């Protein structure tokens, strides 16, 4: 019988001819990412007395949470990260000006199809948008990979999701994922690999899909590489030979298959305080909002800003709404500035912050008791953006822009 994408990658990275679901393998990741929490892994390294890294070229460190530093403690943590990178010659080091780790690493060409990438963030699953196996691990595991170069991993079973049709105007991949998360539940794909098949229009939308797949409990998620992937990576990969796409066999064994007709989907919203608490736009339309946050590794890409700008152009944010815009990276902010998207959003009443995790990580945009925020982030857990008595709803950038204009959760389809 054939093999899935995850099975093939884990077999290659563990030096085996083949692996089976449930098997424990000793895998050698191509890259181990750590963000602002790098200082935790450094402290573990010091405790065990390690003085050498297995291979500094396999490390990437990006300071994206609480960046720039907001307190003396943050500053001290950042200093530990910088000193670590200098001491051990970590070349893939990105300081507080770069943006969100996932987007920065993909933009910089550090992610290629067939790679195995682990890191201190559960949303490392986003790397599957480029055909890489990305998954989150703890900071002690990161230290272990730093020192030994390898990691024990269990081979996951795989779900296959078949997508047919195309999105209607005003409906996006964020709506697809909220639909799936609501249908399957937060643990519906627990420790599974997920492969998406069908007409998925852009790499940006694929990033949103594989990022949000984490909220179904996946271990990893993939959109098989195609012409769109190759085009995205053509100018980014320093070595064209690194483009080695991995595909599932025609007779690969899947634990489960799910079919979704994209044309039947409508805008979706995740309601407080769980991502799986999703509802069609009609059931929450009219809900008052105080704040709208356009950001996070799920939806702060250039294409996401463009979607919001198209709706906001010539209009203005409701006077009772704070629209906070946090681009995913410096490159994204620069492109928005060069194309006029930045100006459009600013003139509409948006407030720009520096690239990074921003309000998604509780860095700015904190809410008071009783306030309501509509966010394009990937999580809406209680207390995530300030008061435990505040409420967070999740939506696509289109729904967010429409709602920011109206002052309440609104259907974006009226703007198309």
């Amino acid at each position: 019988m054939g093999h899935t994408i995850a099975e093939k990658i884990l077999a290659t990275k563990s030096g085996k001819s083949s692996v089976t679901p449930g098997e424990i393998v000793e895998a050698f990741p191509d890259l181990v990412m750590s963000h602002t929490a790098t200082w935790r892994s450094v402290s573990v390294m010091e405790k065990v007395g390690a003085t050498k890294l297995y291979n500094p070229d396999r490390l990437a460190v990006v300071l994206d949470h609480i960046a720039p530093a907001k307190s003396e403690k943050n500053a001290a943590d950042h200093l530990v990260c910088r000193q670590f990178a200098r001491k051990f010659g970590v070349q893939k080091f990105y300081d507080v000006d770069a943006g969100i780790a996932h987007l920065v690493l993909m933009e910089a060409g550090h992610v290629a199809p067939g790679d195995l990438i682990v890191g201190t963030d559960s949303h490392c699953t986003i790397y599957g948008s480029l055909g890489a196996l990305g998954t989150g691990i703890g900071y002690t595991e990161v230290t272990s990979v730093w020192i030994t170069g390898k990691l024990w991993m269990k081979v996951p079973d795989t779900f296959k999701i078949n997508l047919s049709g195309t999105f209607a105007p005003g409906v996006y991949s964020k709506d697809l994922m909220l639909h799936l998360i609501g249908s399957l539940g937060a643990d519906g794909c627990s420790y599974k690999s997920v492969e998406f098949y069908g007409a998925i229009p852009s790499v940006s939308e694929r990033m949103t899909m594989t990022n949000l797949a984490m909220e179904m409990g996946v271990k990893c998620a993939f959109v098989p590489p195609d012409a769109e992937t190759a085009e995205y990576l053509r100018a980014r990969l320093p070595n064209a030979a690194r483009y080695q796409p991995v595909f599932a066999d025609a007779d690969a064994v899947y634990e489960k298959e799910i079919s979704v007709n994209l044309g039947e989907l409508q805008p979706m919203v995740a309601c407080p305080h769980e991502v799986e608490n999703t509802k069609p736009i009609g059931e929450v339309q009219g809900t008052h909002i105080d704040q709208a946050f356009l950001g996070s590794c799920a939806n702060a890409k250039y294409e996401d800003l463009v979607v919001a700008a198209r709706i906001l152009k010539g209009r203005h944010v409701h006077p009772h709404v704070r629209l906070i815009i946090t681009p995913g990276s410096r490159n994204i902010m620069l492109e928005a500035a060069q194309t006029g998207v930045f100006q459009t959003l600013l003139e509409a009443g948006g407030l720009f912050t520096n690239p990074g995790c921003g309000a998604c990580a509780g860095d700015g945009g904190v809410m008071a008791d009783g306030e309501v925020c509509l966010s394009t982030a990937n999580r809406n857990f209680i207390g995530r953006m300030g008061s435990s008595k505040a409420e967070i709803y999740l939506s696509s950038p289109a729904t967010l822009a429409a709602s920011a204009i109206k002052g309440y959760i609104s259907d974006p389809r009226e703007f198309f």
Side-chain angles (χ1 to χ4, degrees):
M1 291 183 289
H3 297 284
T4 65
I5 299 175
E7 290 165 13
K8 285 188 172 184
I9 293 177
L10 288 176
T12 299
K13 302 308 176 183
S14 59
K16 293 176 171 286
S17 59
S18 65
V19 296
T20 57
E23 181 179 350
I24 304 296
V25 299
E26 194 171 64
F28 285 77
D30 296 279
L31 187 70
V32 53
M33 181 279 291
S34 55
H35 48 48
T36 308
T38 297
W39 67 271
R40 295 183 182 275
S41 298
V42 172
S43 67
V44 173
M45 187 173 177
E46 292 172 346
K47 287 178 182 177
V48 300
T51 58
K52 290 183 62 178
L53 299 177
Y54 181 82
N55 184 351
D57 289 340
R58 290 189 179 184
L59 273 64
V61 177
V62 187
L63 305 188
D64 57 1
H65 286 57
I66 319 298
K70 300 296 189 295
S71 69
E72 186 177 348
K73 174 64 167 64
N74 297 147
D77 292 344
H78 289 177
L79 180 59
V80 169
C81 300
R82 295 185 186 107
Q83 292 175 335
F84 169 78
R86 294 191 199 108
K87 178 179 179 180
F88 291 99
V90 178
Q91 297 302 307
K92 298 181 183 71
F93 174 77
Y94 297 88
D95 217 313
V96 296
D97 60 326
I100 305 174
H102 306 309
L103 303 182
V104 169
L105 296 186
M106 289 189 286
E107 289 174 349
H110 300 318
V111 179
D115 282 355
L116 171 59
I117 303 174
V118 297
T120 53
D121 190 281
S122 59
H123 293 103
C124 285
T125 54
I126 192 174
Y127 304 131
S129 60
L130 299 180
L133 195 164
T135 194
I137 60 176
Y139 64 88
T140 52
E141 290 178 297
V142 162
T143 308
S144 176
V145 181
W146 282 358
I147 299 169
T148 69
K150 58 190 177 183
L151 179 72
W152 281 354
M153 297 185 69
K154 185 171 77 170
V155 181
D157 282 298
T158 301
F159 284 6
K160 183 178 185 180
I161 299 181
N162 298 303
L163 307 174
S164 62
T166 57
F167 290 119
V171 181
Y172 296 86
S173 60
K174 182 64 163 285
D175 302 303
L176 163 66
M177 295 312 299
L178 293 180
H179 164 76
L180 286 171
I181 294 165
S183 301
L184 299 174
D187 59 354
C189 300
S190 184
Y191 211 96
K192 309 297 181 185
S193 173
V194 169
E195 295 176 7
F196 291 96
Y197 292 91
I200 305 163
S202 70
V203 170
S204 176
E205 292 286 83
R206 300 171 191 191
M207 290 178 182
T208 299
M209 290 164 58
T210 51
N211 183 291
L212 265 293
M214 178 63 239
E215 304 311 319
M216 302 188 296
V218 305
K219 185 65 176 175
C220 52
F222 299 95
V223 176
D226 60 8
E228 293 286 342
T229 318
E231 179 61 28
Y232 177 87
L233 291 173
R234 183 169 289 113
R236 291 180 168 86
L237 289 182
N239 180 0
R242 285 197 64 216
Y243 190 80
Q244 298 288 336
V246 176
F247 303 100
D249 293 325
D251 58 345
V253 178
Y254 295 96
E255 181 179 335
K256 187 175 184 179
E257 291 199 34
I258 300 167
S259 296
V260 179
N261 185 335
L262 300 181
E264 295 178 353
L265 297 177
Q266 58 182 304
M268 299 289 294
V269 174
C271 303
H273 294 282
E274 301 290 340
V275 185
E276 65 181 349
N277 184 19
T278 63
K279 297 180 181 179
I281 188 71
E283 295 185 22
V284 291
Q285 193 167 359
T287 302
H288 164 84
I289 63 172
D290 301 285
Q291 178 171 290
F293 171 60
L294 178 56
S296 89
C297 51
N299 280 120
K301 305 176 295 303
Y302 173 71
E303 291 82 351
D304 299 316
L305 303 188
V306 169
V307 168
R310 285 174 180 165
I311 293 175
L312 284 161
K313 187 174 181 63
R315 300 183 174 94
H316 203 278
V317 173
H318 192 279
H320 296 161
V321 175
R322 310 181 297 272
L323 173 58
I324 300 173
I325 306 166
T326 303
S329 73
R330 177 176 51 193
N331 290 337
I332 291 169
M333 178 176 272
L334 180 61
E335 186 172 5
Q338 293 171 334
T339 59
V341 169
F342 187 105
Q343 182 175 344
T344 294
L345 293 172
L346 199 63
E347 288 177 344
L351 165 66
F352 274 87
T353 73
N354 63 283
C357 295
C360 181
D363 181 12
V366 170
M367 294 187 294
D369 289 359
E371 288 195 307
V372 176
C373 179
L374 182 62
S375 168
T376 62
N378 39 40
R379 286 181 176 160
N380 60 343
F381 302 156
I382 189 168
R384 188 171 177 88
M385 295 175 68
S387 171
S388 61
K389 296 180 181 178
E391 295 185 331
I392 306 170
Y393 292 78
L394 305 179
S395 77
S396 73
T399 299
L400 180 126
S403 303
I405 294 169
K406 295 290 191 67
Y408 53 81
I409 296 178
S410 303
D411 192 329
R413 291 175 294 186
E414 69 174 272
F415 293 92
F416 288 82

